[in-house]
Amino acid sequence: MTTSSPAPTSLMANAIRALAMDAVQQANSGHPGMPMGMAEIGVALWSRHLRHNPKNPHWADRDRFVLSNGHGSMLLYSLLHLTGYDLPMEELKNFRQLHSKTPGHPEYGITPGVETTTGPLGQGLANAVGMALAESLLANEFNKSDAKIVDHHTYVFLGDGCLMEGISHEACSLAGVLKLNKLIAFYDDNGISIDGEVVHWFHDDTPKRFEAYGWNVIPGVIGHDVEAVDAAITKAKQSDKPTLICCKTVIGEGSPNKAGTHDVHGAALGDKEVAATREKLGWNYPPFVIPQEVYAAWDAKEQGAKIEGDWNNAFAAYRAKYPQEAAEFERRMANKLPADWAEKAQAIIAGANERAETVATRKASQQAIEGLAAVLPELCGGSADLTGSNLTNWKAAKYVRVGETGAAGSYVNYGVREFGMSAIINGLALHGGHKAFGGTFLTFSDYSRNALRVAALMKSPSIFVFTHDSIGLGEDGPTHQSIEHVASLRLIPHMQVWRPADTVETAVAWTQAVEHQGPSCLIFSRQNLAFNPRTDAQIANIAKGGYVLQDWNDEIVARKIILIATGSEVELAMKSVEMLAREGIAARVVSMPSTTTFDKQDAEYRERVLPHGVRRVAIEAGVTDFWRKYVGLEGGVVGIDVFGESAPAGVLFKHFGFTVEHVVATAKAALG
């Protein structure tokens, strides 16, 4: 970057150090050590290589930057402020305060320029793999021999903690296989974590580890030498592999008494040490004051506008020559569905209704995916080594493989990497251009859990497919039978969860997941589930999450009860109606494939479906406590509050009381 009076790189780096220690000191909370230690790395990358426009953080072909060691958030906030993003000094002064744009860890959607929410260590690195994968897939799809409209890098900062977390192995191993050469990672090798010197619990040979993954490794870079880091980045860009730049740094660099110790990792320096650091650095400015010459050196607005302007000109030429591809690219990067989406979505649902098949909902899901793939070229699926079981692929899917121009395709074999897959999907979704989903068994949602939670926190439009729910898994036994998992997924704020009962509900669940501005979990069965005939009005109401599938017989006036069921248990509820009638009990069956969606409906609709004063019984092959919010203490729940057993599914359902007789007995008990 060129300025009229460029400040020395030492001043640019010290500006980061000063802002980091001042913000943490004012908040009396935070992590000053990493920003102070990685300051020169930030200078080298952000002032000499990063292609971005502070005035348009959403420019499609910008480089992506991820701070995986998100506890050092003041490094990112300082860089965003100094380079000209809409992050004024007042926001830095309000670091970690209520409703500020500078939360304790970077949060997507809160701070302009923050590409993903980081903090749970290792996940940012996995998100970066997803972003780099998205770049490669889009480049292969849209670039032409005479035009490159997708050509950017993904950069990620990470520390020892990220590398100790197992997700780093999952994600980086796959990145090596896929040769994601636009991915460049900077390892902050400072030898310190919260507990002290990491050599006592972490002495991996990190360069050899990444070489084994198939990465290009640049070892031994002095992280406080801007020129050395600059040269390493230039070299990394020439590789046909992802690159790890190993930067030796001193945590808290500049602090005369705390640098190189864990004392500077996660606590304010203290007034005396801040003053001593200022003196050592020669930073003779009050807190939160940056001299104009430093601002001028950092300012990326003019250069960013030029870079984006050049790209806009190139894209205009691309549009003139390839109008259909250009329109498709713009639509997808804007996260807009095709103009005929509503019509096509209804056709997918209508097709499922016309087929009227009794199949496992995992098979119904695959049928829905076939329909979606014909409508959504942005569909990018995958599975954690369970494609033949999850049924997440489709006939025309092209498996992601590496060619001369990088990874290409629409279906990812993630291998046995459930956590890594989920975080990579988040990266794919956040990058833009793809509607990303991946599948595994429901019980392994535990492995994915924190990535699901972060997806919900970000409201990322990620889709997580989980098959083989509950005791329907049968002979595999309790280790694989997911009893508590659906209820726990429903507890995640902003997470949309669907457990459909048949082909039609499955089709609706998929279309709702595609439309949802946030993450979705789709829960499917291994075993066949009966098709339920419906009216057009009933089909329309499925999208509301819960609806009356069969209403009570008004001729029975003595006693009424509502049976609420999901998934495989809807069939059981329907079968129980006749026996209840013989007992003089009129039963309404409410299918509730998505409690999270039903709960968002207006009070009038919810009252129509579940009128007050009528006793209720919930039926689901899972833990019972969740359902008390619908049935109350006076209602009944047919569920499972113990772990499963190894036996054929039919035997297990009978063993655990999923029978018409038990439903009827529970209903009678609820009615008193």
Side-chain angles (χ1 to χ4, degrees):
M1 180 177 299
T2 303
T3 63
S4 56
S5 56
T9 55
S10 60
L11 275 178
M12 297 173 71
N14 287 341
I16 295 173
R17 293 189 173 96
L19 289 173
M21 66 182 182
D22 289 345
V24 173
Q25 188 64 31
Q26 178 148 307
N28 195 28
S29 174
H31 301 74
M34 186 280 271
M36 296 173 73
M38 295 193 77
E40 282 83 6
I41 304 173
V43 171
L45 175 61
W46 279 67
S47 71
R48 301 188 181 184
H49 293 273
L50 194 71
R51 296 173 68 255
H52 65 124
N53 183 2
K55 290 303 181 183
N56 184 9
H58 304 294
W59 167 42
D61 201 40
R62 69 192 181 278
D63 287 340
R64 270 59 170 182
F65 175 79
V66 176
L67 192 75
S68 189
N69 42 356
H71 54 273
S73 56
M74 270 309 303
L75 173 63
L76 180 51
Y77 299 150
S78 299
L79 290 165
L80 293 170
H81 169 76
L82 291 167
T83 55
Y85 284 78
D86 184 18
L87 193 67
M89 186 64 81
E90 286 304 310
E91 293 294 348
L92 274 63
K93 292 179 180 179
N94 287 328
F95 179 55
R96 290 187 165 222
Q97 304 309 301
L98 185 64
H99 302 317
S100 76
K101 291 184 180 180
T102 50
H105 294 80
E107 292 186 38
Y108 176 77
I110 300 294
T111 315
V114 170
E115 299 282 4
T116 181
T117 296
T118 56
L121 293 176
Q123 283 198 63
L125 175 55
N127 295 162
V129 172
M131 293 175 185
L133 176 57
E135 192 276 344
S136 183
L137 299 180
L138 289 169
N140 271 286
E141 185 174 355
F142 287 99
N143 287 351
K144 306 294 183 181
S145 59
D146 59 346
K148 280 189 175 183
I149 61 166
V150 181
D151 187 16
H152 56 266
H153 286 80
T154 299
Y155 298 100
V156 55
F157 284 6
L158 58 101
D160 289 307
C162 295
L163 295 180
M164 283 187 263
E165 290 287 0
I167 190 173
S168 69
H169 166 68
E170 296 184 25
C172 293
S173 172
L174 184 61
V177 171
L178 297 178
K179 290 191 174 182
L180 300 177
N181 66 310
K182 295 290 188 68
L183 175 63
I184 300 177
F186 299 78
Y187 168 32
D188 180 28
D189 183 11
N190 60 37
I192 297 293
S193 66
I194 293 176
D195 280 357
E197 296 180 6
V198 300
V199 68
H200 300 298
W201 48 86
F202 181 66
H203 60 196
D204 296 11
D205 190 329
T206 297
K208 287 185 179 179
R209 171 186 165 189
F210 276 75
E211 287 172 1
Y213 290 152
W215 283 52
N216 171 46
V217 178
I218 304 176
V221 177
I222 303 303
H224 303 298
D225 184 338
V226 172
E227 302 303 324
V229 176
D230 179 16
I233 299 170
T234 300
K235 183 178 179 182
K237 288 180 177 179
Q238 298 167 359
S239 177
D240 64 349
K241 304 174 182 178
T243 296
L244 180 71
I245 303 175
C246 300
C247 301
K248 194 65 181 175
T249 64
V250 176
I251 191 171
E253 172 69 8
S255 172
N257 301 301
K258 295 187 177 182
T261 73
H262 71 280
D263 294 331
V264 75
H265 182 282
L269 296 179
D271 291 332
K272 289 184 179 179
E273 189 66 13
V274 168
T277 303
R278 273 186 154 74
E279 182 177 355
K280 181 178 179 181
L281 296 175
W283 188 262
N284 302 313
Y285 306 100
F288 300 106
V289 172
I290 304 295
Q292 285 305 311
E293 63 177 311
V294 175
Y295 272 127
W298 271 115
D299 192 349
K301 296 191 293 294
E302 182 179 346
Q303 180 73 1
K306 181 183 183 304
I307 294 171
E308 183 182 354
D310 291 344
W311 183 86
N312 287 336
N313 291 335
F315 189 75
Y318 180 91
R319 182 189 290 112
K321 194 168 184 179
Y322 308 105
Q324 291 184 336
E325 290 91 335
E328 180 68 7
F329 180 78
E330 289 182 306
R331 176 188 73 77
R332 286 168 56 172
M333 292 307 293
N335 195 29
K336 293 181 179 179
L337 292 170
D340 60 352
W341 162 252
E343 175 188 342
K344 293 296 177 62
Q346 287 305 310
I348 291 171
I349 296 167
N353 189 50
E354 290 169 6
R355 287 192 299 272
E357 292 177 294
T358 292
V359 295
T361 50
R362 62 171 173 160
K363 181 61 179 177
S365 169
Q366 188 176 46
Q367 293 170 346
I369 292 170
E370 285 285 355
L372 293 170
V375 182
L376 301 173
E378 61 262 48
L379 204 66
C380 183
S383 173
D385 203 49
L386 290 168
T387 296
S389 296
N390 298 150
L391 302 183
T392 40
N393 59 343
W394 60 100
K395 292 177 183 176
K398 296 179 180 178
Y399 288 83
V400 173
R401 299 291 185 264
V402 179
E404 291 183 3
T405 56
S410 57
Y411 190 88
V412 184
N413 297 109
Y414 285 101
V416 187
R417 301 182 177 102
E418 296 90 352
F419 191 10
M421 174 183 71
S422 300
I424 289 170
I425 287 171
N426 289 343
L428 277 162
L430 292 171
H431 179 280
H434 289 98
K435 186 67 68 173
F437 71 91
T440 186
F441 287 171
L442 177 57
T443 194
F444 301 133
S445 64
D446 281 342
Y447 285 3
S448 305
R449 178 75 182 205
N450 204 257
L452 272 59
R453 182 180 186 273
V454 175
L457 181 62
M458 297 188 289
K459 298 182 180 178
S460 166
S462 310
I463 301 175
F464 306 104
V465 175
F466 297 116
T467 69
H468 294 61
D469 67 327
S470 191
I471 55 175
L473 197 61
E475 294 88 342
D476 277 348
T479 59
H480 282 53
Q481 291 167 6
S482 43
I483 305 304
E484 74 278 20
H485 297 71
V486 177
S488 71
L489 293 174
R490 291 170 178 147
L491 295 176
I492 302 175
H494 308 310
M495 179 65 75
Q496 177 181 249
V497 181
W498 288 84
R499 186 175 184 247
D502 64 2
T503 55
V504 176
E505 287 190 2
T506 298
V508 172
W510 261 110
T511 59
Q512 290 297 301
V514 167
E515 295 176 11
H516 185 49
Q517 296 301 307
S520 301
C521 290
L522 306 180
I523 318 298
F524 300 125
S525 73
R526 177 197 190 190
Q527 71 275 26
N528 288 346
L529 303 185
F531 172 80
N532 296 287
R534 298 173 181 82
T535 65
D536 290 343
Q538 287 175 314
I539 292 175
N541 283 336
I542 296 173
K544 296 179 180 179
Y547 64 102
V548 177
L549 179 61
Q550 178 168 321
D551 215 347
W552 37 52
N553 183 350
D554 288 329
E555 295 179 3
I556 303 174
V557 296
R559 292 187 293 177
K560 291 184 176 180
I561 198 158
I562 299 173
L563 304 179
I564 309 170
T566 78
S568 51
E569 285 66 69
V570 170
E571 182 177 353
L572 175 59
M574 295 290 283
K575 289 179 178 178
S576 300
V577 171
E578 186 177 343
M579 182 175 286
L580 283 167
R582 290 199 294 268
E583 298 281 346
I585 301 170
R588 165 182 284 186
V589 175
V590 170
S591 178
M592 197 175 288
S594 178
T595 63
T596 54
T597 303
F598 179 77
D599 289 348
K600 294 177 181 177
Q601 305 307 310
D602 60 57
E604 188 275 334
Y605 178 78
R606 286 183 280 117
E607 172 65 21
R608 278 196 285 121
V609 175
L610 299 176
H612 285 84
V614 181
R615 292 290 172 91
R616 308 164 186 174
V617 170
I619 313 168
E620 184 173 67
V623 291
T624 61
D625 280 358
F626 170 84
W627 288 101
R628 289 296 167 188
K629 65 185 283 189
Y630 297 103
V631 305
L633 295 177
E634 70 281 359
V637 182
V638 177
I640 307 175
D641 287 318
V642 297
F643 291 111
E645 297 282 350
S646 293
V651 174
L652 291 177
F653 277 106
K654 183 176 181 180
H655 172 75
F656 286 108
F658 289 91
T659 63
V660 169
E661 292 76 15
H662 188 213
V663 171
V664 170
T666 303
K668 291 169 68 176
L671 289 168

